[in-house]
């Protein structure tokens, strides 16, 4: 079978994925979700002109010859609304955030007056205030709509909602928001040799790592991850577990192990009896064997069993599918770094585990010792994956290479 290019395989897979329908969520559940439509403000922010300081509301023309004494005729605490306009020659005591009275056009901060008290709503209102400094028209006034105007598009479709965006929605009175649905993924592992972390080791057995690596990777792509018990290498068990997975109504199923040509690789038979599975030899290292298909219409990924291969194929093929379902950008965090030493490759597109270090002015990438596709510690050590393109068999020391970052760059 000819090797398929990674790009072709990914394009074939992504043709089956589209953003999920929108759903309405309360604001406190909206963080990290993706906005399903533009948000047009139904209200202005601020909704009324207000003071940005504790001080005195005045007409700027009345204090141009400061120092001047003005009659205090009103007290305007935050949350109240002035019942009448400010007359010329008058001042109103006003707190930060309180509405400007009609007739006022500037604020004098309390520090620029003779007012001794710390302004507070229960301090008695003196009869007069001495203004010691003139201010310009509009000083310390936050006009209506300074932040957001009614009718303005404040957030665009596709925006990932972070703290500031959720704060804006709250400010304009949106208690709920329409976001793209969250992808549900079932992760399952197969193999008679696998044990749970809490199980005692016994001869011939190893612990199931892939359930844990894949769950973390899919969560990082904002999927809700569900699990079914591990699948043994027996067909009836595999069929029962797949039924169980389907009963969780996932948008995709991600399995690892059991899809090679090993005599006990039952996953392929199980999936094929429910749907269709294609086996691809992808021009990718690690991770050449990859199965993709559907069970009862649900997309099914059969990743290789070796832990590093499973992680790399999850990153390269499953992550973009999950991001697409979630309406998110497929862009990965990557950076250019110089190879720290000669690296040989076999001409397949290779994801080499590398550390990154700043040396002199340059960012230098070095392989993390063993590149065995079973050595998970090399993934834990790696800051990123150096992408060695197809048909490149030799990378020179100092050559500029693209690194897919696995964690935020801290060098
Ligand atoms: P398979 O694809 O089932 O032939 O598995 C290939 C290799 O990956 C074997 O050494 C398996 O023991 C190992 N393997 C498969 N599934 C897991 C898993 N969930 N966790 C750790 N290693 C696994
Ligand atoms: Mg197996």
């Amino acid at each position: 079978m000819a090797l398929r290019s990674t790009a072709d395989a990914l394009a074939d897979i992504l043709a089956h994925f589209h953003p999920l329908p929108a759903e309405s969520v309360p604001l406190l559940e909206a963080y990290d979700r993706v906005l399903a439509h533009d948000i047009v403000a139904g209200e202005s922010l601020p909704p009324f002109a207000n003071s940005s300081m504790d001080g005195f509301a005045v007409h700027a023309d009345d204090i141009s010859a400061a120092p001047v004494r003005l009659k205090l005729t009103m007290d305007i605490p935050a949350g109240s609304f002035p019942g009448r306009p400010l007359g010329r020659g008058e001042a109103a005591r006003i707190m930060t955030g309180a509405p400007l009275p009609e007739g006022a056009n500037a604020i004098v901060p309390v520090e620029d007056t003779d007012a001794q008290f710390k302004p507070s709503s229960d301090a008695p209102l003196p009869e007069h205030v001495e203004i010691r400094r003139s201010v310009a028209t509009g000083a310390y006034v936050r006009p209506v709509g300074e932040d957001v105007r009614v009718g303005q598009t404040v957030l665009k479709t596709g925006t990932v909602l972070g703290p500031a965006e959720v704060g804006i929605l709250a400010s304009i009175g949106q208690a709920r928001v329409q976001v793209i649905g969250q992808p549900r993924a079932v992760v399952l592992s197969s193999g008679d040799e696998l044990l749970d972390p809490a199980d005692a080791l016994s001869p011939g057995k190893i612990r199931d790592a892939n359930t844990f690596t894949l769950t973390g990777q899919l969560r990082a792509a904002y999927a809700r991850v569900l699990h079914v018990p591990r699948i043994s290498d027996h067909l009836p068990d595999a069929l029962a577990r797949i039924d169980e997975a389907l009963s969780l109504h996932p948008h995709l199923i991600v399995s690892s192990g059991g899809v090679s040509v090993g005599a006990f690789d039952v996953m392929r038979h199980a999936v094929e009896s429910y749907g269709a599975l294609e086996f691809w030899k992808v021009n990718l290292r690690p991770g050449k064997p990859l199965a993709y298909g559907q069970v009862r219409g649900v997309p099914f990924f059969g990743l290789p069993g070796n832990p590093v291969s499973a992680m790399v194929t999850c990153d390269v093929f499953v992550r973009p599918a999950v991001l697409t379902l979630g309406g998110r950008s497929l862009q990965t965090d990557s950076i250019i770094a110089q190879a720290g030493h000669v690296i040989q490759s076999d001409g397949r597109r290779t994801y080499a585990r590398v550390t990154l270090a700043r040396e002199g002015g340059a960012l230098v990438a070095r392989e993390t010792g063993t590149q065995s596709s079973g050595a998970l510690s090399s993934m834990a050590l790696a800051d990123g994956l150096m992408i060695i393109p197809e048909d490149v068999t030799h990378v020179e020391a100092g050559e500029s290479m693209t690194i897919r970052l696995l964690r935020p760059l801290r060098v």
Side-chain angles (χ1 to χ4, degrees), residues 190 193 258 265:
S190 74
E193 73 278 32
D265 288 343

Side-chain angles (χ1 to χ4, degrees), residues 307-384:
V308 178
S309 307
M311 283 191 80
V312 169
T313 47
C314 182
D315 192 58
V316 173
F317 298 110
V318 188
R319 181 178 178 276
V322 171
L323 293 176
T324 299
L325 286 171
R328 295 169 194 273
S329 156
L330 304 192
Q331 195 133 23
T332 52
D333 290 325
S334 53
I335 199 165
I336 305 289
Q338 293 180 4
H341 49 84
V342 168
I343 300 175
Q344 308 289 355
S345 185
D346 63 358
R348 277 191 278 165
R349 182 178 176 84
T350 295
Y351 286 69
R353 286 141 268 166
V354 295
T355 59
L356 291 169
R358 189 75 67 182
E359 291 175 16
L363 191 61
V364 177
R366 290 201 168 76
E367 284 190 301
T368 57
T370 175
Q371 294 285 312
S372 155
S373 58
L376 209 45
S377 61
S378 64
M379 279 303 269
L381 283 174
D383 296 313

Side-chain angles (χ1 to χ4, degrees), residues 83 182 239 297 332 362:
Q182 185 181 19
L239 291 171
T332 52

Side-chain angles (χ1 to χ4, degrees), residues 7-265:
D8 279 356
L10 180 59
D12 279 4
I13 289 169
L14 289 185
H16 295 97
F17 289 87
H18 305 283
L20 295 172
E23 63 187 23
S24 165
V25 295
L27 279 195
L28 288 175
E29 284 163 34
Y31 300 99
D32 289 335
R33 302 294 299 268
V34 177
L35 200 54
H37 58 72
D38 287 355
I39 299 288
V40 176
E43 297 171 0
S44 288
L45 282 184
F48 49 85
N50 67 90
S51 175
S52 70
M53 297 288 276
D54 291 332
F56 296 87
V58 297
H59 194 291
D61 291 349
D62 291 345
I63 61 164
S64 54
V68 295
R69 245 168 103 72
L70 298 180
K71 189 172 159 52
L72 263 178
T73 58
M74 253 190 290
D75 204 10
I76 315 172
S80 70
F81 198 81
R84 59 187 179 79
L86 189 79
R88 292 301 297 265
E90 295 177 358
R93 186 167 66 173
I94 190 166
M95 303 304 141
T96 304
L100 209 68
E102 217 186 298
N105 64 8
I107 303 294
V108 180
V110 66
E111 296 82 351
D112 294 324
T113 71
D114 69 342
Q116 290 301 317
F117 52 85
K118 192 169 166 29
S120 76
S121 49
D122 55 8
L125 191 67
E127 281 187 18
H128 292 90
V129 62
E130 184 180 88
I131 305 290
R132 294 186 169 146
R133 188 169 73 84
S134 63
V135 295
T137 301
Y140 306 110
V141 174
R142 297 188 285 218
V144 180
E146 178 186 51
D147 186 6
V148 171
R149 285 178 189 286
V150 67
Q152 181 187 334
T153 300
V154 278
L155 298 171
K156 290 227 175 268
T157 306
T159 300
V160 178
L161 299 174
E165 287 80 7
V166 175
I168 288 174
L169 291 167
S171 301
I172 61 172
Q174 280 223 213
R176 302 182 69 89
V177 62
Q178 291 278 331
V179 294
I180 306 286
Q182 185 181 19
R184 270 190 312 279
V186 173
V187 165
L188 44 90
S189 292
S190 74
D192 277 346
E193 73 278 32
L194 299 177
L195 298 173
D196 281 336
D199 294 339
L201 267 189
S202 52
K205 307 286 189 185
I206 59 163
R207 298 211 177 80
D208 168 13
N210 296 351
T211 293
F212 297 88
T213 55
L214 297 173
T215 296
Q217 288 179 287
L218 296 173
R219 283 191 188 160
Y222 304 96
R224 182 157 160 236
V225 182
L226 308 165
H227 298 96
V228 297
R230 234 179 357 256
I231 299 181
S232 70
D233 287 325
H234 301 281
L235 189 57
D237 186 48
L239 291 171
R241 295 303 181 214
I242 289 175
D243 276 334
E244 216 175 320
L246 289 170
S247 74
L248 301 172
H249 303 291
H251 300 109
L252 70 162
I253 297 175
V254 183
S255 83
S256 67
V259 289
S260 57
V261 291
F264 298 99
D265 288 343

